Amino acid sequence: MNLKKDITEDRYFNRDLSWLSFNERVLMEAENKETPLMERLKFLSIYSSNLDEFYRVRMPAILAMGKIKEQDQTLPAQINQVIAAQQERFGSTLRESVIPSLGQNNIEFIYGSEIPAIISKAVNDIFFTKIAGHLQLISVSKKSDFLPENNKLFFAVNYPGSKQLFVVNIPSDSISRFYNIEANGRLYVVMLDDIIRIHLHLLFSKTTSINAYAFKITRDAELHLTDEVAGSLTSRMEKQLAKRDFGLATRLLYDASMPAQTLSALIKAFDLQNATIVKGGRYHNLKDLINFPLTDKKFLYQPLPAVSLNISEQSLFAQLDKQDLMLHTPYHNYDLVLRFFNEAAIDPSVERIYITLYRIAQDSGIAQALITAAKNGKRVIVMVELKARFDEANNIRWSKKMKEAGIELHYSSTKLKVHAKIALVRKRVKTKIKSYGLLSTGNFNETTARFYTDQILFTADQNLLKEIQTVFTILTSKKNPLDLPSKNFKHLIVAPFNIRDRFFELIDREIANCRKGIKAGITVKLNNLEEETLIDKLYEASNAGVAVNMIVRSICRLVPGVPNRSENITVTRIVDRYLEHSRIFVFENGGEAEIFCGSADWMNRNIYHRIEVCFPVTDLKIKSDLKTILQLQLSDTEQAVEITKEDFNSFAKKMTGSKIRSQN
């Protein structure tokens, strides 16, 4: 689907339409009949979950922009048109492709059809034993005291003979959305919604005729915090989180068969006049498809075996004294990261441990090792980002545990986030202090490491780690880092201090080399590319003849392939079994390539409003491995698409002869 046919005259793609094209690419994996069946359901789930977040995070900002800038007033209509078309594809994929494929495998998914008589007794038993006790019948007035929580499911109920509007909850957040029933050698899967629907008459007296229409309200996810407000950040965060589910409504999604009178009553009762009103299907929150009860291995991607790096020394730190190591997750086993912190926790010569934590795993072995280290008498300094969106509550929970153990906790100011992924261990070796570090493109999170592609550098490079210590000094300062003078980092690229200027210098050197006839080239892998001055600098490089190869998973505002502007730039997007998450930057430098990895995308927030760290890779073997990985991804013919000036998701590379799938 071409979200924008030809924007040669436009200098940048629209950020939000570009993101919607990424979500379309996710949907394309669900449409692909070569994708294993349960994985197709998962991609439908991811698409749905992504769209919910878009309405919670982006739509409030888009609507606000439209009020301020005349040129942005038509954007919500464009977005709604794109989403409506995608939702049609979503529905047809599920109904006309995925569900029939389930049927071919002897699985009857009851979706939008009557529950067969053969399982009616079993369905009745499920209702009374597992569901009935979770239901609430709510009478709604024109201005109701009842406020539906964010993204919770409800039925709007028309009760014959009454003008009163009733609402019944669909408790999918507290009990299962899907129920398996075996009958006559066939597996039937019934949705919670339908079981409630056929029993709704039991909530009313003297009637068996009930019309029910599903709806949900999506609300603004923004937390409103200021440094001036008294009280601890954790307690203020907790108060804001308690309010989030009842924030400003940004979308009402409703069953398209809902009568106009019922829809009008909902809008008035819940004050939804300023929300986006979206027609939907019979079911909402299809992100729950990720929990569809289909567990047979033949319906799933078979996991690739994770390789463990060979550590010849008894101590990981002793190994790092000899050479740097790099993990490429999930292809490498993440246990080495856990070992780094576990060794530090028990090693008598370790005196201090520093780490930044952005998204902590629910059952974090890393956090537990830090707690153990503190109990073993080591000084442990942890920068926890409490404002990591949708992980705030879990980060607060772990913060309290770590504080109780005696860990020294620091939090960022409300005006910025600490997105850097760095850790530092300081050991006393005889009379000297020696440092060991982890520098990563992704979070220190053993759960996401199983399906996020990231790079993690283990190093004992003292010059590099001296600058990491400087970053931690900044983070633990009582002053706002944005108010501190710029730091002179020689090795590291650190936002907001030197990130834009340093990348400008690196690109300018490639431009100068190209003009001199010296080998030049730029390869950049990112999640998101938005910041205009960096895009302009890449346009300048292209005009100078520098070959620029981009791998951009999600938002891409750069328009490639435009004559006299970006004709030497290619942009590739990869969506496959794993989430491409790493950031890698390669500058050819006349044949002596400089390579950096790091936490920073090229977005306004990363460049100007976050603490980010990008780090140089100097080990020749690791540099060679990174270049090989990037070349493999640029050559991908199966899962990679090209972003062109005409199309966001072009499978042009599939036309070549040999088949290459970079994630296999």
Side-chain angles (χ1 to χ4, degrees), residues 21 47 109 242-243 245 286-287 356 372 447 459 481 486 567 589:
S21 77
Y47 172 88
F109 181 24
K243 296 177 182 178
D245 278 342
L286 290 177
K287 61 186 177 184
T356 58
T372 298
T447 301
T459 185
S486 180
E567 57 195 315
N589 189 32

Side-chain angles (χ1 to χ4, degrees), residues 45-88:
S45 167
I46 293 166
Y47 172 88
S48 181
S49 179
N50 286 348
L51 192 58
D52 278 346
E53 184 171 340
F54 180 82
Y55 273 102
R56 294 195 73 187
V57 176
R58 283 303 302 164
M59 280 306 286
I62 292 165
L63 294 171
M65 285 188 296
K67 293 177 182 177
I68 299 169
K69 300 179 182 178
E70 186 175 344
Q71 64 267 34
D72 291 321
Q73 290 176 1
T74 61
L75 184 58
Q78 285 181 271
I79 286 170
N80 289 332
Q81 183 180 6
V82 169
I83 291 174
Q86 290 181 1
Q87 292 282 60
E88 280 291 319

Side-chain angles (χ1 to χ4, degrees), residues 370-372 374-375 400-407:
L370 297 172
I371 289 171
T372 298
K375 289 180 177 179
K400 291 178 178 179
K401 286 185 178 183
M402 288 189 284
K403 187 174 183 179
E404 288 172 2
I407 289 175

Side-chain angles (χ1 to χ4, degrees), residues 501-606:
D501 290 347
R502 186 75 179 100
F503 279 125
F504 270 29
E505 290 170 5
L506 291 164
I507 297 170
D508 280 335
R509 186 180 63 194
E510 298 306 311
I511 293 171
N513 284 346
C514 185
R515 287 172 174 161
K516 294 174 185 175
I518 300 172
K519 184 178 181 180
I522 299 168
T523 302
V524 175
K525 180 182 179 185
L526 297 162
N527 295 319
N528 299 293
L529 175 58
E530 176 207 30
E531 204 279 332
E532 291 182 0
T533 65
L534 283 163
I535 293 173
D536 287 345
K537 183 58 71 171
L538 292 175
Y539 287 158
E540 184 182 339
S542 173
N543 270 340
V546 179
V548 180
N549 294 307
M550 310 287 296
I551 303 171
V552 184
R553 186 196 77 216
S554 186
I555 298 167
C556 177
R557 296 194 62 209
L558 181 150
V559 185
V562 178
N564 301 317
R565 188 171 76 207
S566 58
E567 57 195 315
N568 292 309
I569 302 178
T570 64
V571 183
T572 296
R573 165 184 282 159
I574 298 173
V575 173
D576 203 344
R577 66 169 71 193
Y578 301 130
L579 182 75
E580 293 292 341
H581 189 254
S582 54
R583 295 91 169 176
I584 308 172
F585 312 87
V586 181
F587 303 91
E588 285 301 330
N589 189 32
E592 299 290 333
E594 276 198 75
I595 301 180
F596 296 83
C597 296
S599 61
D601 285 319
W602 284 1
M603 298 186 74
N604 291 315
R605 67 189 185 194
N606 303 95

Side-chain angles (χ1 to χ4, degrees), residues 132 134-140 146 154-159 164-170 200-205 210:
H134 293 268
L135 299 183
Q136 287 181 281
L137 176 65
I138 303 138
S139 176
V140 179
F146 168 69
F154 298 93
F155 281 128
V157 179
N158 284 341
Y159 176 37
Q164 183 69 52
L165 175 66
F166 293 92
V167 168
V168 176
N169 65 314
I170 304 173
L200 275 175
H201 64 279
L202 298 173
L203 279 67
F204 298 87
S205 59
I210 298 290

Side-chain angles (χ1 to χ4, degrees), residues 368-548:
Q368 185 56 55
L370 297 172
I371 289 171
T372 298
K375 289 180 177 179
N376 284 341
K378 304 174 194 311
R379 187 180 175 193
V380 181
I381 301 96
V382 179
M383 166 58 71
V384 180
E385 182 47 77
L386 294 183
K387 302 182 297 301
R389 185 174 280 129
F390 305 130
D391 276 86
E392 301 97 339
N394 183 59
N395 285 3
I396 289 171
R397 178 176 66 87
W398 272 112
S399 293
K400 291 178 178 179
K401 286 185 178 183
M402 288 189 284
K403 187 174 183 179
E404 288 172 2
I407 289 175
E408 182 181 321
L409 290 178
H410 295 268
Y411 309 115
S412 65
S413 76
T414 60
K415 297 177 182 178
L416 87 168
K417 290 182 180 180
V418 176
H419 194 249
K421 327 294 187 184
I422 52 175
L424 185 69
V425 167
R426 300 190 67 188
K427 287 183 62 174
R428 183 168 294 279
V429 181
K430 295 182 180 179
T431 59
K432 295 182 179 180
I433 296 294
K434 187 163 188 180
S435 296
Y436 299 85
L438 289 188
L439 298 88
S440 180
T441 65
N443 299 307
F444 295 120
N445 184 313
E446 51 267 48
T447 301
T448 56
R450 294 199 298 267
F451 48 90
Y452 280 29
T453 71
D454 275 304
Q455 275 70 42
I456 305 155
L457 179 69
F458 295 69
T459 185
D461 182 331
Q462 298 304 294
N463 291 324
L464 188 64
L465 296 177
K466 184 177 179 181
E467 293 190 2
I468 291 292
Q469 181 68 68
T470 299
V471 175
F472 278 111
T473 300
I474 292 169
L475 295 179
T476 56
S477 168
K478 292 183 179 180
K479 294 183 179 180
N480 185 334
L482 297 177
D483 297 331
L484 294 172
S486 180
K487 297 293 179 179
N488 183 23
F489 292 102
K490 182 179 179 181
H491 304 283
L492 295 178
I493 299 175
V494 183
F497 300 109
N498 69 341
I499 186 166
R500 199 189 74 154
D501 290 347
R502 186 75 179 100
F503 279 125
F504 270 29
E505 290 170 5
L506 291 164
I507 297 170
D508 280 335
R509 186 180 63 194
E510 298 306 311
I511 293 171
N513 284 346
C514 185
R515 287 172 174 161
K516 294 174 185 175
I518 300 172
K519 184 178 181 180
I522 299 168
T523 302
V524 175
K525 180 182 179 185
L526 297 162
N527 295 319
N528 299 293
L529 175 58
E530 176 207 30
E531 204 279 332
E532 291 182 0
T533 65
L534 283 163
I535 293 173
D536 287 345
K537 183 58 71 171
L538 292 175
Y539 287 158
E540 184 182 339
S542 173
N543 270 340
V546 179
V548 180

Side-chain angles (χ1 to χ4, degrees), residues 250-261:
T250 58
R251 175 181 61 162
L252 168 64
L253 181 63
Y254 70 97
D255 185 338
S257 67
M258 182 184 291
Q261 184 178 357

